Amino acid sequence: MSRCFLLLIHAVPRTPFGSPSVAQVQQERNFTMWKTTLFGLALVLCLPLGAQPTQATEATWLPASAEKLPRWRGFNLLEKFSRDWSNDPFKEKDFQHIQELGFNIVRLPMDYRVWIKGDDWRVIDEAVIREIDEAVAWGSQYGIHVCINFHRAPGHTVAEPPEPRDLWTDPEAQEVCAQHWAYFARRYKDIPSERLSFNLFNEPMEISGEDYTRVARMMVDAIRAEDPERLIIADGVRWGSQPCPELIPLGIAQATRGYSPANISHYGATWVDTRDMAYPHWPTPQSTQFLYGPDKGELQAPLVLEGPFSKDVQLRLRVGTVSTRGRLRVAADGVPLWTHTFVCGPGEGEWREAIYKEEWGVYQNRYDRDYVVDIPRDTQRISIVNTEGDWLTLLEIGLRSTGTSDDAESVLGLMTVWGEKNAPIRAHPQGTGWTFNSDYMMDQAWLWREHILPWQAIETQGVGVMVGEWGAFNKTPHAVTLRWMEDCLKNWQKAGWGWALWNFRGSFGILDSDRRDVDYESWRGHQLDRKMLELLQRY
């Protein structure tokens, strides 16, 4: 009984992209006369037998336009995120729970391959589309806005495997992608934009604003030919992190991301290269892993840790990559304590991996090793400098008091920022360890400068903004995650932006996230992260 009426609504036979037959045209004319009236009834009849519909009143729906998006708050649902991962129906329970907890948007990041038949990207599988229909209907039933996103579009993806065609350059990919969007626009044209929006592509990568706009215009024209009033949202450029002013004439909204810094959002993630990611802290000094040698001229500078260090201290340096050669020197109050020379080359050695860079004709070997230096008590200033060669990276700095068994190591992860010098980093005793700060911090104010202000510039030109994805993977310490999330949420609340956490259930979410450092609460058959939930509800 739960799907019967939606099956009826979409029962008119039609070819996915071709011209309709005469019979189909007549059927379509008759069909549209009663479709709108029956859609509301369908929402009720699609409920399982015995279920009581939770009706969304008109006051629930927030006005939505490309010029001003509502401050929606909610989650991404991943059932159709990747054909290689799953192609499950969406779950009505998710909509029930999201409404019950006080949220009002779901974004559906989807892989177009789940709704085509086999590998023919021109043939639609109506059975799968009806599962998307259910999600759209549940959104209307439970007062939750649904945002449909082509996470993998014909010719475009940021995931593996890559698409065989390139949407930005291939005319056939552009034609097919526009036909897919036209199909969705035609199917849902009677659902108002307060309830349903379209998010064109997920996170365009290294592409110019002009090329992005040229292709986006094709999609917008295809959608508006079927549904002129549909609310359309485009992700920003550079993986959604930067606004795209070239899109402004299209009259569409834009979506940003909440994944900065990456060592907070993706620490330990298996689908990205995390080898050089700094251990996550928040807030944290704005630092760089690179220690430049004399070959880099004026960039050469020491990394300075300011104390005082009233106890004997063990300093741990994790060396990542060395370019050609380097020589680390550690001094305490100007007195040299330790030096170590690194010389890269082929074959086996002190390094873990020998890497030859053909474009420069040099070895940049990966060491990924720890080196320990004993620092005498009452040291005021520790200096770490690279005195030879090109550059090397320090992934982490660890400090641990010696002589006592209960002193844990305090770790400062350094960021992968090229071409900068480090300001002095202050180490403050706290309990049995240290906290770190400097005159240049990555904190709430830094997030505002780097990730709010650039987007406010396009808001002044009539572009609505929201955060389409954000969150921290479950390997980032929970306390760090919550501090960072709260600073993001404060900024978005101040900016008036809505957001959708990257996922509801799973490694970024509030349910079943499988974090090792959370005391979960059993809730509706799931493991609930109550602290994260309450934080989200506050903002």
Side-chain angles (χ1 to χ4, degrees):
M1 190 69 179
S2 63
R3 301 187 189 182
C4 62
F5 216 83
L6 283 176
L7 289 171
L8 176 60
I9 280 187
H10 296 289
V12 173
R14 63 181 85 176
T15 55
F17 304 133
S19 300
S21 65
V22 174
Q24 285 175 318
V25 170
Q26 185 59 52
Q27 283 180 301
E28 187 73 19
R29 288 173 179 167
N30 296 335
F31 177 62
T32 53
M33 293 178 61
W34 47 265
K35 181 172 61 174
T36 302
T37 303
L38 292 182
F39 187 82
L41 179 60
L43 297 179
V44 176
L45 296 183
C46 284
L47 289 172
L49 289 172
Q52 294 300 315
T54 304
Q55 296 295 341
T57 66
E58 288 303 315
T60 301
W61 301 105
L62 302 174
S65 69
E67 296 78 19
K68 182 62 178 176
L69 295 179
R71 206 170 79 83
W72 291 311
R73 302 176 303 147
F75 305 90
N76 285 259
L77 299 181
L78 309 187
E79 273 63 31
K80 299 187 183 299
F81 159 64
S82 172
R83 185 180 70 178
D84 303 316
W85 182 46
S86 73
N87 185 13
D88 296 330
F90 292 99
K91 302 180 187 305
E92 183 178 7
K93 285 290 185 183
D94 285 342
F95 290 82
Q96 292 175 338
H97 294 157
I98 288 168
Q99 182 208 45
E100 179 181 355
L101 295 172
F103 300 97
N104 59 5
I105 186 173
V106 295
R107 178 174 177 263
L108 308 182
M110 295 187 290
D111 178 346
Y112 80 95
R113 298 175 303 167
V114 306
W115 65 70
I116 64 174
K117 288 192 174 181
D119 290 323
D120 189 340
W121 63 358
R122 293 182 180 272
V123 180
I124 298 294
D125 185 343
E126 287 281 330
V128 176
I129 295 294
R130 286 193 290 269
E131 294 174 350
I132 301 171
D133 294 342
E134 287 186 318
V136 173
W138 287 328
S140 290
Q141 177 184 331
Y142 291 103
I144 295 170
H145 181 91
V146 175
C147 179
I148 289 178
N149 164 248
F150 284 11
H151 197 276
R152 180 187 285 266
H156 169 71
T157 182
V158 297
E160 295 293 337
E163 281 287 287
R165 304 282 191 100
D166 180 12
L167 176 65
W168 314 113
T169 61
D170 187 280
E172 184 180 357
Q174 294 161 4
E175 174 199 356
V176 171
C177 192
Q179 288 172 342
H180 279 260
W181 271 123
Y183 174 86
F184 276 82
R186 185 165 57 248
R187 193 171 190 95
Y188 300 126
K189 64 183 178 182
D190 296 308
I191 302 174
S193 287
E194 288 79 7
R195 304 187 185 198
L196 181 72
S197 60
F198 290 166
N199 181 198
L200 295 180
F201 314 117
N202 184 70
E203 300 175 6
M205 300 173 285
E206 301 290 349
I207 183 173
S208 69
E210 292 79 11
D211 287 341
Y212 185 20
T213 301
R214 176 176 51 82
V215 175
R217 185 184 300 276
M218 299 177 193
M219 308 304 131
V220 171
D221 288 347
I223 292 168
R224 288 178 174 162
E226 301 289 344
D227 183 1
E229 302 303 319
R230 176 61 55 212
L231 173 60
I232 303 171
I233 304 168
D235 285 359
V237 292
R238 292 191 61 80
W239 292 271
S241 66
Q242 295 179 6
C244 183
E246 291 85 353
L247 290 172
I248 293 174
L250 300 186
I252 60 180
Q254 294 190 35
T256 184
R257 290 293 179 268
Y259 289 139
S260 184
N263 71 310
I264 301 286
S265 63
H266 284 75
Y267 185 75
T270 55
W271 60 94
V272 295
D273 185 355
T274 62
R275 291 177 299 174
D276 290 336
M277 274 193 180
Y279 186 81
H281 289 275
W282 191 263
T284 190
Q286 261 184 278
S287 60
T288 176
Q289 296 178 354
F290 292 93
L291 276 183
Y292 302 100
D295 291 359
K296 282 292 182 281
E298 63 181 18
L299 283 176
Q300 185 187 24
L303 189 156
V304 173
L305 294 177
E306 296 180 342
F309 303 96
S310 57
K311 301 178 182 179
D312 292 331
V313 171
Q314 190 178 78
L315 171 70
R316 179 178 63 84
L317 305 175
R318 171 156 290 186
V319 175
T321 299
V322 177
S323 179
T324 309
R325 66 180 289 117
R327 189 168 185 261
L328 267 184
R329 184 182 70 194
V330 176
D333 296 331
V335 178
L337 298 178
W338 175 86
T339 61
H340 190 89
T341 301
F342 303 84
V343 181
C344 297
E348 296 183 356
E350 185 181 356
W351 48 81
R352 294 190 184 276
E353 183 180 6
I355 303 172
Y356 183 71
K357 295 291 187 178
E358 188 172 350
E359 59 267 42
W360 298 299
V362 300
Y363 279 90
Q364 292 183 347
N365 289 2
R366 182 170 185 81
Y367 281 73
D368 199 19
R369 288 187 179 276
D370 290 328
Y371 300 86
V372 176
V373 183
D374 290 324
I375 307 297
R377 69 179 59 201
D378 297 325
T379 293
Q380 301 295 310
R381 191 172 187 266
I382 301 171
S383 175
I384 308 164
V385 63
N386 181 14
T387 63
E388 291 184 14
D390 194 16
W391 55 263
L392 58 80
T393 60
L394 291 182
L395 306 183
E396 294 178 354
I397 295 173
L399 290 177
R400 185 177 69 84
S401 296
T402 58
T404 59
S405 60
D406 60 347
D407 283 345
E409 183 185 56
S410 298
V411 179
L412 173 64
L414 303 175
M415 310 299 290
T416 53
V417 180
W418 178 263
E420 300 287 339
K421 297 179 182 180
N422 280 313
I425 296 171
R426 295 181 289 273
H428 298 278
Q430 185 177 60
T432 60
W434 284 269
T435 59
F436 303 95
N437 62 43
S438 74
D439 290 339
Y440 304 96
M441 295 292 290
M442 299 175 78
D443 54 13
Q444 183 186 347
W446 175 84
L447 288 170
W448 183 270
R449 292 192 304 272
E450 296 293 320
H451 301 290
I452 304 293
L453 292 181
W455 289 86
Q456 288 188 326
I458 67 165
E459 280 190 297
T460 63
Q461 300 179 67
V463 177
V465 175
M466 69 170 295
V467 183
E469 296 178 15
W470 73 292
F473 187 57
N474 61 14
K475 298 301 185 290
T476 298
H478 195 235
V480 173
T481 295
L482 296 183
R483 287 197 298 271
W484 170 77
M485 289 179 73
E486 183 154 25
D487 282 346
C488 291
L489 289 164
K490 286 178 178 177
N491 282 346
W492 299 334
Q493 184 182 63
K494 180 179 176 182
W497 296 354
W499 45 261
L501 189 71
W502 180 263
N503 54 28
F504 182 50
R505 294 173 285 104
S507 55
F508 285 71
I510 61 173
L511 298 179
D512 307 329
S513 58
D514 198 27
R515 295 179 180 271
R516 295 183 178 180
D517 53 353
V518 171
D519 292 327
Y520 288 102
E521 172 185 326
S522 293
W523 186 86
R524 308 290 192 271
H526 298 278
Q527 294 298 297
L528 171 65
D529 182 346
R530 174 66 68 177
K531 287 184 178 180
M532 184 179 290
L533 168 63
E534 291 179 348
L535 173 63
L536 296 176
Q537 289 173 328
R538 286 200 297 274
Y539 295 95

